Amino acid sequence: MDIICKFKKIRFRWKFLFWVTVSILVFIGIYLDCGSLLKIECHQVILNRYTSFSEAMKHLVIGNIIVIFAVLTLFGAEKAAWEKTAPSSLEDLLAIQKQVLSIREKVRAATVSVKMGQGAGSGVIINKEGLVLTAGHVSGKPGQKFKVILHDGREFDGEALGNSPRTDSGMIQIKDPKDLPTVEYAGPSIPKRGQWCLAVGNMGGWNAKRGAVFRLGRVIAIKSRHTIQTDCKLLGGDSGGPLFDLEGRVQALVFSSQWMRCRV
């Protein structure tokens, strides 16, 4: 681990020095070219805009300093630990842990248990009007009735609106919604292989003492534009549960113990 950390630091320093050198060379080139141009061809224009040639050069220097800082900020900034392909230090692991803890309550509150008779699945509330996103084999046919149980123990009646057999996704409408927690949807994008993720669901059905269960993992395979695989451990009752990125946004839904659907 020490060798990896040292290598990362050396690579960052060389990148930093490279862009500083490039910026300085660009600055010198602009200074020389503009200087000769201003002196020889545009002297009258400069005098009209600036009181002297030195004032024009002063403005040019200030502009190039701003450009250099912008370049250094763009190429020198470190990525967040959970955006890296792999953690490179203990600090990265602690940063990932801190990020998971910061979104824990938000994502848990919006993850629900969907119950029908003896069967149970999971889902996630995506708006204040009470729309619940879940797996198609959980929601079933339109008009099917459910009990939707929130993390705080509140129960609502729900009704299936329909499903998509192609993506195995479905929607349930909570009746008489009130003070519902929600989360954002990450949008129509496929997670990258190696990306950190958080699977949340009510495996085995609703349990008041335990609540929704978290599994931290990574995307390990992309089967198609609609299907990904993670190394999060999933069990019965997790079907329809959300897969979050570490910003707390829904990226996919669980539809089997191995595969998850995205771009639903």
Side-chain angles (χ1 to χ4, degrees):
M1 184 66 76
D2 289 340
I3 294 174
I4 294 175
C5 292
K6 289 178 181 177
F7 174 74
K8 292 275 188 179
K9 290 178 181 178
I10 292 171
R11 190 173 64 178
F12 174 75
R13 287 170 184 166
W14 276 109
K15 181 190 286 187
F16 180 83
L17 291 173
F18 171 77
W19 285 108
V20 168
T21 303
V22 168
S23 300
I24 292 173
L25 291 175
V26 169
F27 166 71
I28 292 173
I30 293 174
Y31 183 86
L32 294 176
D33 289 342
C34 289
S36 60
L37 180 64
L38 293 174
K39 284 181 177 179
I40 298 171
E41 299 179 9
C42 300
H43 185 69
Q44 188 60 44
V45 174
I46 293 173
L47 291 177
N48 290 338
R49 185 171 181 179
Y50 301 102
T51 57
S52 66
F53 180 77
S54 61
E55 185 182 349
M57 288 299 99
K58 179 182 177 182
H59 281 79
L60 183 62
V61 169
I62 293 173
N64 277 276
I65 290 174
I66 294 172
V67 171
I68 291 172
F69 274 107
V71 169
L72 294 179
T73 301
L74 180 63
F75 293 96
E78 281 277 2
K79 287 184 176 180
W82 53 93
E83 293 177 347
K84 297 179 180 180
T85 54
S88 58
S89 65
L90 177 60
E91 286 73 22
D92 281 352
L93 293 173
L94 291 173
I96 292 170
Q97 175 180 275
K98 183 178 180 180
Q99 181 65 14
V100 171
L101 293 176
S102 72
I103 66 172
R104 177 180 59 182
E105 295 308 317
K106 175 185 175 182
V107 301
R108 173 179 279 168
T111 302
V112 299
S113 177
V114 179
K115 188 176 181 181
M116 184 188 66
Q118 298 300 314
S122 298
V124 60
I125 305 171
I126 58 172
N127 68 18
K128 292 289 185 180
E129 287 69 40
L131 283 179
V132 175
L133 189 59
T134 185
H137 67 270
V138 172
S139 65
K141 297 179 180 179
Q144 195 149 298
K145 308 299 182 182
F146 298 92
K147 284 291 183 182
V148 179
I149 309 174
L150 275 62
H151 172 64
D152 58 11
R154 287 184 294 160
E155 291 189 18
F156 292 88
D157 292 327
E159 182 177 331
L161 299 179
N163 65 74
S164 168
R166 183 173 64 90
T167 59
D168 192 19
S169 58
M171 298 291 292
I172 294 173
Q173 176 65 59
I174 292 177
K175 295 184 177 181
D176 302 319
K178 183 179 180 181
D179 300 327
L180 298 179
T182 63
V183 287
E184 295 178 3
Y185 178 50
S189 61
I190 300 175
K192 296 178 181 178
R193 186 178 178 185
Q195 181 175 321
W196 290 95
C197 55
L198 193 65
V200 187
N202 292 280
M203 60 182 188
W206 168 249
N207 185 311
K209 293 182 179 180
R210 180 202 63 198
V213 179
F214 290 79
R215 273 70 42 101
L216 178 66
R218 301 174 77 184
V219 176
I220 59 175
I222 299 175
K223 184 179 180 182
S224 70
R225 64 188 293 245
H226 294 293
T227 310
I228 61 174
Q229 183 180 15
T230 75
D231 56 6
C232 299
K233 181 65 175 177
L234 302 170
L235 298 170
D238 281 322
S239 289
L243 181 78
F244 294 96
D245 62 17
L246 292 201
E247 301 293 337
R249 301 172 299 183
V250 179
Q251 285 198 311
L253 295 176
V254 176
F255 74 94
S256 79
S257 60
Q258 281 190 317
W259 298 98
M260 298 187 179
R261 293 286 190 190
C262 56
R263 294 178 65 96
V264 291

